[in-house]
Amino acid sequence: MGAVLTGPATVAQARETAPGSPGVPQAPAVVFEEDFEHEQDAVPRLITNYTGTSPLSQTYTADPAWLTGCNGWIVSPLNPDSGPPGSGCGPFWGPLESMASALGQWSGGDPATNHAVAAYTEGNPGAGKVELETVKPIPLEGENRFLTFSVDAAARNCFAAHPLLEFYLLDGDTAVPTFTTPINPCADPDQVINGTSVGTYAGNNAVLFSGPSAGIRLINAQASGSGNDGAFDNVRLLDATPQLDIAFSPTSLPAGADSTLTLTVTNTSEKAAKNGWSFTEQLPPGLVVSDPSTATTTCGAGTVTISPDNDRLTATGNLVDGQDACTVQVEVTSARGASYTLCAAATTERVGLEAPGCATVTFGSLLMDAHAYSAKVDAVIDAVPPIAPSDVTCTQEPGTDDADLLNASLGSLGSLGVIQTSATGAVGTNGARTATAKATTAQVNLLGGTISAKEITATATAVGSVTPDGIGPVSLSGSSVLTDTKVAGITITAHPAPNTGITIPLVGSVTLNEQKPYGNGKGIVVNALHVKLLTGVHIIVSGTRASLTPTPGPCPHP
């Protein structure tokens, strides 16, 4: 039947199940346990004369009509061979001790000393009599918890009427059943020990409890005194709240693709029915339900509701008796590259469920990075920083940056005319991503006319794509256009081949249409004109670079 739980504590700290094992039931927490062993000796006593261990020091009542005819005695093989005067047991005290012994053996205790509440019913007590009821409220931790019970029970003389045990939880004066059918050790024993049918039984219908304390009531539904001979021990109040778990599949995928968000409600190991749990899952900004119609659930009477903004889902449902787990599933997506983590704080309005752990899903995209400038001088003395820079810096968002100047000076190294630069990150159809940098510099005059040009333009481009099928490869391209350009008296073609080199004697060297990939193929540098003087000074005119980098970056630098 239910899981076998052991331990002598009367009031136990409720232990929450741990997230991380969806679909695998874990043991419920023991909130209260009574083993009827506190301050016992060889003298038998009625259940109404017993006090449990501190700090609760629980006491019990029972129906007076049941506390007659050899019923309601806490017995043990340590007792004398005959029952106390007035017990009504006559020659049947020995079988009571045998049931207590069998329960001790079954639970892993000492069969020679175990105590149990026993009955060898003489006469017809009538149906529905209370065999045990707690007097003091049992304190509970938290609200909206599923509670049920577990008990070790025994029966003899199963050829006659069977004991039929019914457990109720008490919410103030209200008795709430934790069963759909009574416990019947004769019909459903876990083991038969020396003629005694024994087993551990848990309620099959847990109660969603919201009060601060609870009580226990045990009723025998058997009215007959012909048979109806049984015993019980190790009465436990169980916190059987199911565990909620969160998972994404896949956990890594392109932006715009769908990941399945699975929320698993896992029963505890006694597998009682758990009806009426619910929760709301708030998705972080940027993560949305891709299609509300894809929401499904395997939970009994389950419902899944998606908010109008597709950023929140609310689920309700049941676990049926004997069910290990059920699930709620929905497809989620993100339009941009990012990692999203759901933890317990995202699960709001949680009723009848343990908080989940964390789960993370990562959507990949491309970061666009583009930079352009008219000219710069790298030198120990009289360096010139990039002139008229335009920058789109390592972003998923489309955008453009432009700069214009009428002219600029490089000091003793030369002068520049009209300048235009631009940097662009563009998101096109079918997931296309393009980073482009362009620099145009007119009226270039360097080194006293040794180098001159009407106009010099460089363009660097990185192209890729992000689709639900994946992140495509990055394609890099570059070009330089040199209009009416001369180097040391040599007329330069308008479209020089990449990395065309010219040496100027006693001055240095010039690289035309300089192109250099960087970042393991993610980016390209295109400089229309790169002058390297023998003095160590570097002059770049119309410099550009562009790259596309998978999120989360960082974007590379040359």
Side-chain angles (χ1 to χ4, degrees):
M1 298 292 289
V4 177
L5 305 171
T6 61
T10 299
V11 178
Q13 180 76 17
R15 177 186 57 79
E16 293 184 349
T17 58
S21 300
V24 180
Q26 301 176 62
V30 179
V31 178
F32 169 86
E33 180 175 14
E34 180 61 79
D35 61 7
F36 306 107
E37 297 292 343
H38 182 54
E39 294 184 346
Q40 292 284 22
D41 51 29
V43 178
R45 67 187 73 182
L46 283 170
I47 182 60
T48 50
N49 295 328
Y50 171 80
T51 301
T53 60
S54 62
L56 191 55
S57 301
Q58 185 65 263
T59 57
Y60 303 92
T61 62
D63 198 311
W66 184 73
L67 292 174
T68 60
C70 201
N71 291 340
W73 290 93
I74 300 177
V75 300
S76 168
L78 293 174
N79 297 157
D81 292 337
S82 59
S87 64
C89 293
F92 302 118
W93 189 260
L96 296 185
E97 293 181 348
S98 295
M99 287 190 287
S101 177
L103 285 169
Q105 180 177 335
W106 163 248
S107 65
D110 187 349
T113 62
N114 187 61
H115 290 78
V117 180
Y120 217 79
T121 308
E122 295 296 309
N124 297 329
K129 296 299 185 289
V130 175
E131 294 191 354
L132 174 141
E133 183 172 320
T134 52
V135 173
K136 299 179 179 179
I138 300 168
L140 302 175
E141 293 187 0
E143 297 179 340
N144 296 318
R145 315 286 297 176
F146 277 102
L147 301 181
T148 188
F149 77 95
S150 172
V151 66
D152 294 345
R156 293 175 67 90
N157 300 325
C158 290
F159 57 85
H162 301 171
L164 301 174
L165 305 182
E166 299 176 342
F167 270 85
Y168 293 80
L169 292 181
L170 301 178
D171 186 1
D173 295 330
T174 303
V176 185
T178 63
F179 61 92
T180 56
T181 56
I183 294 169
N184 185 344
C186 284
D188 188 23
D190 287 325
Q191 189 175 350
V192 178
I193 300 175
N194 299 324
T196 297
S197 298
V198 296
T200 298
Y201 306 89
N204 66 347
N205 190 41
V207 177
L208 184 55
F209 212 86
S210 60
S213 62
I216 298 173
R217 176 182 294 166
L218 169 60
I219 287 177
N220 190 346
Q222 181 59 258
S224 176
S226 175
N228 199 9
D229 304 325
F232 59 87
D233 195 5
N234 298 320
V235 177
R236 305 174 184 92
L237 178 61
L238 304 178
D239 184 335
T241 302
Q243 177 65 54
L244 180 64
D245 281 282
I246 303 172
F248 292 99
S249 181
T251 57
S252 180
L253 66 165
D258 287 348
S259 177
T260 301
L261 170 60
T262 300
L263 300 114
T264 303
V265 178
T266 303
N267 212 342
T268 44
S269 57
E270 91 297 338
K271 300 183 185 180
K274 313 285 167 64
N275 296 328
W277 51 259
S278 63
F279 66 89
T280 295
E281 194 71 19
Q282 178 64 57
L283 303 181
L287 184 66
V288 296
V289 176
S290 58
D291 182 356
S293 68
T294 65
T296 61
T297 180
T298 64
C299 302
T303 65
V304 184
T305 304
I306 309 299
S307 67
D309 292 333
N310 290 349
D311 64 349
R312 187 174 64 255
L313 67 92
T314 298
T316 64
N318 302 331
L319 287 167
V320 301
D321 181 20
Q323 188 174 14
D324 286 346
C326 67
T327 60
V328 173
Q329 288 189 325
V330 67
E331 301 299 311
V332 296
T333 191
S334 173
R336 64 193 315 272
S339 289
Y340 303 97
T341 298
L342 294 179
C343 292
T347 308
T348 62
E349 303 175 23
R350 177 168 45 87
V351 174
L353 296 171
E354 296 284 9
C358 296
T360 299
V361 61
T362 299
F363 292 86
S365 189
L366 289 173
L367 296 167
M368 298 175 288
D369 195 56
H371 305 272
Y373 58 91
S374 170
K376 72 173 182 176
V377 176
D378 292 333
V380 175
I381 300 175
D382 295 330
V384 178
I387 296 171
S390 295
D391 301 286
V392 169
T393 303
C394 204
T395 180
Q396 296 182 57
E397 309 304 326
T400 299
D401 187 34
D402 299 297
D404 299 279
L405 281 177
L406 290 176
N407 56 68
S409 173
L410 300 179
S412 63
L413 297 175
S415 62
L416 310 172
V418 176
I419 294 166
Q420 292 180 324
T421 66
S422 65
T424 302
V427 176
T429 58
N430 299 320
R433 302 290 195 277
T434 304
T436 305
K438 184 177 182 179
T440 299
T441 306
Q443 305 304 319
V444 177
N445 190 319
L446 302 177
L447 306 177
T450 302
I451 301 172
S452 64
K454 180 180 180 181
E455 187 176 87
I456 295 177
T457 299
T459 305
T461 304
V463 177
S465 64
V466 180
T467 71
D469 294 329
I471 297 176
V474 175
S475 174
L476 304 174
S477 63
S479 66
S480 296
V481 179
L482 287 74
T483 304
D484 296 340
T485 302
K486 289 185 178 181
V487 176
I490 301 172
T491 300
I492 305 300
T493 180
H495 302 281
N499 301 309
T500 297
I502 299 175
T503 299
I504 305 175
L506 303 178
V507 176
S509 63
V510 177
T511 302
L512 306 173
N513 191 19
E514 183 178 52
Q515 298 189 17
K516 299 184 294 183
Y518 66 97
N520 294 320
K522 298 182 181 70
I524 187 170
V525 171
V526 180
N527 298 320
L529 183 71
H530 185 173
V531 181
K532 305 170 188 176
L533 301 182
L534 295 177
T535 59
V537 173
H538 288 248
I539 307 169
I540 294 176
V541 179
S542 293
T544 62
R545 64 182 173 94
S547 69
L548 291 176
T549 304
T551 55
C555 292
H557 291 269

